Every structure is written in C-alpha cells, then in structure tokens.
Amino acid sequence: PAPAAPSMQATVDVAERSAPVEPVQAPAPDQVQAAQEQAAEQERELERIVLERDRQDAQRLQQAQSAAQAQEEAARAAQRDLEAAREAARAEQLARLDAARLETERRDAEQDAARKEQERLAAARADAERTEAARQEQAAQTQREAARQEQARQDAERQEVARQEQARQEAARQEAARQEAARQEQARADAARMAQAEADAARTEQARQDQARQEAARRDAADRETARQEALRQEAAGQEAARQEAARQEAARQEAARQEAERQARASQEQAQRERAAQEAQREERLRAIGKQLDQEAAQRDAAASTPTTSSLRRGWMFGRADANADLVHYAQAMSRKIELNMTLDLLRDIVKQRHTQPVVTLAIRADGSVEKVTFVVSSGVPAIDEAIRQVVASQAPYGPFPPALARQYDVIEIRRTWIFDVAIRLE
C-alpha cells in the first residue's frame, strides 16, 4: 500500500516552524475578504474534485456490475466493501477539509500572510488528494482480485451445494413417499377402528333394548298375575269389594307407572338413535375431510412432479433455492433482487396489514425477460394482496433476457417463491 499522506495539521506545523518570524500586521479588510473568497473557491474546487471522483467511481462500479451480471452475488459483496472503503475515505477527506478550513480561518484572523498560507494548504491538499486517490485505486485493485478469487471459490461451493441439495431432495422425496404410505395406512387403521367402535356401540344398544323388552315382559306378566289374583279375590268374597277396589287402584297405579317406564324407555331409545345419527354424521364429516386432504396432497404432488404438456416450448423449473444449473440459479436470484430492491412494498404497505397467508407464487418468464403468466400455488386469502402481487410483477418487467447458455436450454423458466412482507418484500 502507498505510504499515508502527512496530515494537514502536520504540514501546517512544519510550515510554521520553518517560516521566519515576521512582525504581525493587521490585514487590510479587502485582503482578508479576498483571502476568504479564495479559500471558499478552493473549498468548492476540492468538493467538485471529490464529487467528480465519486461519480467516476460510481461509473466504473456500474460498468463492472454490467460486465459481471452473471456473477452478481459475489460482486455485491465486493461492492459493499468498496462502498464502505470509499465512505471511510470520504469521511476522512471531509474531516481533513474541515480541519484545514478551521485552520485557515484562524490563520486569516491572526496573520497577514493568509494568501501564502492558503496556497501552501492548497498544495498540501492536492498532494493528499493524489496520495489518497493512488491508495484507493490500489485498494480497489486488491478488492477486485479478492472478489475474483472469492467468486471462483463460491462457484465451486455452489456446484457442491447443488449436488448435495439434489441428493437431499431425492432423500426427502423418498422419505415423503414413505411417510405418505404410513399416513394412508394409519388412516385406514383409524377408519377400521371407528367402524369397530360403531359396531360395538350397536351391539351394546341392541343388548340394552333386549334387556328393556325383557323387563317390559316381566312387568306385563306381573300385571297379568295381579289381575288373575284380583279376579280370584272377587270370586272368593263380595265383602272384600272395598279391598279389591283398593287393589284395583293399586293395579292402575302400577299400570300407569309401567306405561311411564315404557315412555321413558322409548325416549331413551330415540335419544340414543339421535346420538348415533350425530356420531355417524361426524364420522362421515371426518372421512370427507380426510379424503379432501388426501386429494389436495395428491394434487400438490402431481403439480410438483408433472411436466406441462400443453405447450411445445422448452420449459425449465426452479422450485427451491438451489439447482445444478448455475445459470438458472443466477437468473432466479437476479429476478428476486429486482423485486426486493426497488421499493415495491409501497404498492402493498397498507393492504398487507390485513390477516393473510404467506402466498406461494410461480412466475413464468420468457427468454426475452417478459412475463408469460403469474400462478398462485397458495393464495394469500386476500384478493387485494394477490392483485397487488401481480401489479408488482408487472411493474418490474421485463426481467432481462436469458444468458446465452440458459437460452440454448429453455424458452420459458418457471420460478416459485414464497412472498414475505415485513419492512420490505422478501422472496424465499
């Protein structure tokens, strides 16, 4: 690295020690005014130089980004480092300029040699500018070389990650198939248990009804025996009429009690039937819900695994974050960043405050960067949010043509992302 430029204060101190001591004379007002105007002009010139250098740096950075679009992820890291270094350099430069300006004002008030001192300060600042520019250029070259090496390393890591991700997805698919088979077997076992429980309940109810019928028969036999005994008593003695009347009333009471018991038994039976009907309805509802869930899961698996046949276009798909095709991964990342970094949340800031589900959206992009279609795999549940997502996608189109290698493989690529709304839009 280039040697650090001597500080402005050190230059001034050396100049003061080396300069001969002259009698201090009060500067003329017009000389002080001229010196101040010249100092302000030099300050403006220095600020213009700094702004011009920043503009040139920004232009070079833009050109580097255009040339490295396929490697944009690593370039962003290098850009952040370069911006941080440039911001630190700018802050350091502004601090030196502020110190020089304060020193100039103090010497303008104390010495009549303000003009000569301003010239020396300007020369010192110019030297510091040149030294700082050389240092920043060397640092930028070092960062670019480090970024290139880092990009090569990341490319190798991405390829390894893609291979591992493909193996993981295959293992996950097999595990999902195993879990699905186990879940279906469990559902069948649950249905069998429910059917067995219902059969047991039916047998219990039948036994209860049989017991009720036996009890009614026993009471009926008892009633008939009572009537027979009453007839015998009537035949035996007429004087027992009063007693027989009392016995008859007792028999009537018992008959009323029997009828009440039968009524209560019928009410209990009707209640049991209603409960069985309600349980049957709940069972049917659960079975319908299970069937609906199975149908939805099967439809999702079919949608994820099937290849569209309605179009003759060559189509590519990216439903995760990693893929063996590095060009496809880079293009998907660039598309996501364009949506995330362009203040698109302003279109949804108010409506996303409503309760909603995180939407899962598939964007079909043509080779020229235009949008073929927007498909909601999972809706947000709020029509206004879904429509705003379509507007965001349309507002950022086109998304740039495919790189040559990607264009040779596909005419359309479909990229699926989950949209998350917090301080900005994030595509996961």
Side-chain angles (χ1 to χ4, degrees):
S7 66
M8 192 66 65
Q9 184 62 45
T11 303
V12 172
D13 292 343
V14 171
E16 288 179 351
R17 287 196 298 268
S18 61
V21 178
E22 297 178 0
V24 178
Q25 297 179 358
D30 56 346
Q31 291 179 347
V32 173
Q33 180 67 27
Q36 290 178 348
E37 291 177 354
Q38 185 175 5
E41 181 63 24
Q42 290 177 354
E43 292 297 329
R44 287 193 293 273
E45 180 64 16
L46 286 175
E47 291 177 355
R48 186 191 64 77
I49 291 172
V50 170
L51 292 175
E52 179 62 18
R53 187 179 67 252
D54 289 346
R55 186 189 64 78
Q56 292 176 356
D57 289 343
Q59 184 176 5
R60 285 196 298 272
L61 180 59
Q62 182 64 33
Q63 293 173 353
Q65 288 177 339
S66 299
Q69 184 175 2
Q71 302 174 351
E72 189 173 359
E73 186 63 28
R76 283 184 61 193
Q79 179 184 352
R80 287 194 298 270
D81 293 340
L82 184 59
E83 287 292 335
R86 186 159 49 247
E87 186 64 26
R90 186 181 298 110
E92 181 181 357
Q93 184 64 27
L94 290 175
R96 287 199 300 270
L97 289 174
D98 290 338
R101 185 167 57 254
L102 292 174
E103 182 65 17
T104 301
E105 292 174 356
R106 185 183 66 82
R107 291 188 60 82
D108 286 343
E110 295 177 353
Q111 300 178 3
D112 60 322
R115 183 179 57 80
K116 292 181 180 181
E117 185 60 29
Q118 287 295 331
E119 291 176 355
R120 286 197 300 274
L121 290 174
R125 282 196 296 271
D127 291 340
E129 286 286 338
R130 286 192 296 273
T131 302
E132 181 63 19
R135 186 186 66 78
Q136 290 182 358
E137 181 62 25
Q138 185 174 1
Q141 290 177 357
T142 302
Q143 290 175 352
R144 286 194 292 271
E145 178 62 22
R148 185 187 63 77
Q149 295 176 357
E150 179 65 16
Q151 179 63 31
R153 183 186 65 77
Q154 290 181 358
D155 288 342
E157 289 181 354
R158 278 196 297 272
Q159 292 176 359
E160 178 62 20
V161 169
R163 184 187 64 77
Q164 294 176 357
E165 178 65 17
Q166 186 173 6
R168 186 192 63 76
Q169 289 179 356
E170 178 62 22
R173 185 187 64 77
Q174 295 177 357
E175 178 64 18
R178 185 188 65 76
Q179 292 179 357
E180 176 64 18
R183 190 187 62 75
Q184 292 179 357
E185 181 63 25
Q186 183 65 31
R188 285 194 294 272
D190 291 342
R193 281 196 300 272
M194 292 173 63
Q196 182 64 34
E198 291 172 357
D200 293 341
R203 284 195 296 271
T204 302
E205 179 63 21
Q206 184 64 36
R208 191 188 62 78
Q209 292 178 1
D210 291 342
Q211 185 178 1
R213 282 195 297 272
Q214 292 175 2
E215 179 67 18
R218 186 185 62 77
R219 290 178 179 176
D220 187 55
D223 291 340
R224 285 196 300 270
E225 180 64 22
T226 301
R228 187 182 65 81
Q229 292 177 0
E230 179 66 21
L232 291 175
R233 282 193 299 272
Q234 288 177 357
E235 291 176 0
Q239 63 272 20
E240 297 291 332
R243 186 181 61 80
Q244 290 175 358
E245 179 63 22
R248 188 188 63 78
Q249 292 177 356
E250 177 63 21
R253 187 187 63 77
Q254 292 179 357
E255 177 65 19
R258 183 183 65 79
Q259 292 178 356
E260 178 63 22
E262 290 179 352
R263 187 188 65 76
Q264 292 179 355
R266 286 195 300 271
S268 299
Q269 184 177 0
E270 291 174 357
Q271 179 65 24
Q273 290 176 351
R274 286 195 295 271
E275 291 177 354
R276 285 200 304 276
Q279 292 175 355
E280 182 66 21
Q282 292 177 356
R283 173 177 172 274
E284 290 295 331
E285 182 64 25
R286 288 196 298 271
L287 291 177
R288 282 196 296 271
I290 292 172
K292 183 176 180 181
Q293 181 178 359
L294 292 175
D295 292 342
Q296 290 177 349
E297 292 177 355
Q300 291 177 358
R301 289 195 303 273
D302 293 341
S306 63
T307 302
T309 58
T310 58
S311 175
S312 61
L313 298 177
R314 300 170 302 163
R315 309 181 81 87
W317 293 270
M318 185 173 183
F319 295 159
R321 301 296 297 179
D323 193 272
N325 190 331
D327 291 329
L328 181 57
V329 173
H330 291 162
Y331 190 86
Q333 290 174 346
M335 182 212 72
S336 298
R337 282 195 299 272
K338 185 171 185 180
I339 293 176
E340 293 172 343
L341 299 177
N342 282 289
M343 303 300 290
T344 50
L345 183 64
D346 293 340
L347 298 175
L348 300 93
R349 190 178 303 279
D350 294 329
I351 58 177
V352 296
K353 296 177 181 178
Q354 304 179 48
R355 184 182 298 277
H356 65 277
T357 302
Q358 290 181 349
V360 179
V361 184
T362 299
L363 301 187
I365 309 296
R366 301 186 183 94
D368 60 356
S370 61
V371 178
E372 181 188 67
K373 62 180 179 178
V374 179
T375 304
F376 283 82
V377 180
V378 177
S379 171
S380 67
V382 181
I385 294 179
D386 292 350
E387 181 59 29
I389 290 175
R390 291 190 177 91
Q391 294 177 8
V392 168
V393 172
S395 69
Q396 300 304 311
Y399 291 91
F402 292 176
L406 192 61
R408 286 193 295 269
Q409 301 176 63
Y410 305 117
D411 299 316
V412 177
I413 58 175
E414 296 186 10
I415 303 171
R416 181 174 297 174
R417 290 291 181 265
T418 299
W419 290 54
I420 301 174
F421 312 107
D422 39 39
V423 296
I425 293 179
R426 291 187 293 113
L427 274 58
E428 296 292 340

